[in-house]
Amino acid sequence: MEDWSDCLDVAVQIALRAGQVVHLAVKQEKRVSSKSTPTDLVTESDHQVEELIISTLSEKYPSHRFIGEESSAAGVKCELTDSPTWIIDPIDGTCNFVHSFPMVAVSIGFAVRKELEFGVIYHCFDGTLYTARKGHGAFCNGVRLHVSKEKDVSKALILTEIGAKRDPATLDIFLGNIKKLLSAPTHGVRIIGSSTLALCHIASGAAEAYYQYGLHCWDIAAAAVIIREAGGCVMDTTGGPLDLMSRRVVAAGTREIADYVVKQLLPINYGRDDSEPDAHA
């Protein structure tokens, strides 16, 4: 079995470097445009940070493949093969970034033979660094992470994100899912505007579960390794194995909480990341 620890070390250094670029850019004037919908925002910094990450990695690992949020939005086919593949979200929480709302992260995942090997997530505002490598545990600033072991949903805090679709039918399903979870009852439902950081809160034990329809492989890849290595579970919203390209996920500290969340959800169809580029929504 190959040891990808050197690649992880490189990913950490690049995430820290990219995070500093993002942190400085927060204070500057931003040029903002939209992608698939008026709420799906992108800035010059998204492109610049992704270019920084991919150019640095491709120079060091010329045979590796890359999946990046902005290159995929520009029409590059999003395809996971058996080759070593870096899965990159240069600025997760772009809307937060635009408003200087302090929940913004750089996320770098790494997969080989379609299996996730490690993940690095850097919180650009407070300098928190989450890392994990398969079989070697998950850490936050070097301190071992452990998920919540709560099994009683009435004592659970649930996290989610809204997604880019805001048509009435989608919003009815989205709000209906939240209503069912609030009525369980649970302690509450929270939305922070960053899928990767919300997922890190599952890994740290700060919340018991996360679910979402409409996120992307670059939102899930790094965080999935971190949660699993912290002792949690990451799965499809149907309860089956995680499909990285399916644009949907349930993650939890315990299987009991995850199974409960799965049973409450009505699906929202966002298509797949590995469909043709013009089909992305």
Side-chain angles (χ1 to χ4, degrees):
M1 182 178 290
E2 293 178 85
D3 180 357
W4 301 106
S5 58
D6 287 347
C7 287
L8 173 57
D9 292 341
V10 170
V12 166
Q13 294 307 311
I14 294 175
L16 293 173
R17 185 177 163 199
Q20 290 305 310
V21 172
V22 175
H23 184 73
L24 292 172
V26 165
K27 303 168 187 176
Q28 309 300 318
E29 185 176 348
K30 307 173 188 78
R31 294 181 62 183
V32 184
S33 56
S34 60
K35 294 186 285 189
S36 62
T37 71
T39 59
D40 187 11
L41 304 181
V42 63
T43 69
E44 285 184 334
S45 295
D46 290 85
H47 295 289
Q48 290 166 358
V49 174
E50 183 168 308
E51 173 60 25
L52 166 67
I53 295 170
I54 291 179
S55 63
T56 304
L57 288 172
S58 60
E59 184 176 340
K60 191 168 183 64
Y61 305 108
S63 66
H64 290 189
R65 294 174 61 90
F66 300 90
I67 295 174
E69 176 174 9
E70 304 317 328
S71 51
S72 295
V76 177
K77 186 170 174 58
C78 187
E79 185 178 20
L80 188 62
T81 69
D82 286 341
S83 300
T85 303
W86 300 80
I87 306 169
I88 299 155
D89 192 341
I91 301 180
D92 181 54
T94 297
C95 185
N96 288 350
F97 171 74
V98 168
H99 291 274
S100 300
F101 186 81
M103 288 289 173
V104 178
V106 174
S107 179
I108 302 175
F110 184 74
V112 183
R113 291 178 286 276
K114 300 185 179 73
E115 293 292 326
L116 295 168
E117 292 290 337
F118 66 73
V120 175
I121 295 172
Y122 180 69
H123 190 318
C124 302
F125 276 77
D126 71 8
T128 306
L129 178 69
Y130 298 91
T131 60
R133 181 159 66 101
K134 189 165 70 174
H136 292 80
F139 299 87
C140 176
N141 290 346
V143 178
R144 191 76 180 251
L145 289 174
H146 300 282
V147 296
S148 165
K149 289 305 179 184
E150 183 59 64
K151 298 179 181 180
D152 182 351
V153 73
S154 71
K155 299 176 181 176
L157 184 63
I158 312 293
L159 307 182
T160 189
E161 291 297 334
I162 299 172
K165 288 185 179 181
R166 305 292 169 84
D167 60 277
T170 297
L171 287 177
D172 284 346
I173 298 171
F174 173 78
L175 294 171
N177 286 339
I178 288 182
K179 183 178 179 180
K180 279 187 280 186
L181 289 167
L182 286 173
S183 303
T186 57
H187 275 177
V189 176
R190 301 286 183 269
I191 297 171
I192 65 171
S194 166
S195 302
T196 60
L197 290 177
L199 287 161
C200 285
H201 288 315
I202 307 306
S204 72
E208 278 66 41
Y210 178 88
Y211 71 93
Q212 188 185 350
Y213 295 95
L215 76 179
H216 293 276
C217 58
W218 44 82
D219 298 309
I220 309 170
V225 186
I226 294 168
I227 292 171
R228 286 168 175 164
E229 288 300 312
C233 54
V234 186
M235 64 180 72
D236 188 71
T237 52
T238 62
L242 174 68
D243 178 348
L244 198 60
M245 295 292 166
S246 69
R247 301 198 61 188
R248 59 195 191 202
V249 70
V250 169
T254 61
R255 183 74 195 214
E256 289 84 355
I257 296 284
D259 287 342
Y260 182 88
V261 171
V262 163
K263 290 174 185 174
Q264 306 311 306
L265 298 178
L266 286 178
I268 300 171
N269 181 22
Y270 273 88
R272 296 182 57 83
D273 276 330
D274 53 5
S275 62
E276 290 305 312
D278 61 2
H280 287 169

